[in-house]
Amino acid sequence: MKFGRKRSIDRTRLIQLHNDGMGATNIANKLEIGRSTVYKIINEEIGTKNK
């Protein structure tokens, strides 16, 4: 059973922009999301790869 909303942010694109050297503020503006969301996704995606 799944809970919550379907993800609407292209996480792969966000991580690609981050890996290309784009800053969180620019990523947030480009994807039209909050900067805190950018940091959250980066920490979730990059953090899970380091564990």
Side-chain angles (χ1 to χ4, degrees):
M1 182 181 307
K2 292 185 179 183
F3 294 99
R5 260 179 95 163
K6 183 177 183 252
R7 290 181 171 171
S8 60
I9 299 168
D10 186 353
R11 295 167 87 87
T12 306
R13 183 164 180 231
L14 187 150
I15 295 300
Q16 184 61 50
L17 292 171
H18 174 70
N19 289 338
D20 289 345
M22 186 177 281
T25 302
N26 290 334
I27 294 171
N29 289 336
K30 187 171 189 78
L31 299 179
E32 298 180 344
I33 58 176
R35 197 177 73 217
S36 61
T37 304
V38 173
Y39 286 122
K40 178 182 163 215
I41 293 172
I42 289 170
N43 287 332
E44 286 175 0
E45 296 295 319
I46 304 292
T48 56
K49 292 179 182 177
N50 293 332
K51 288 184 180 178

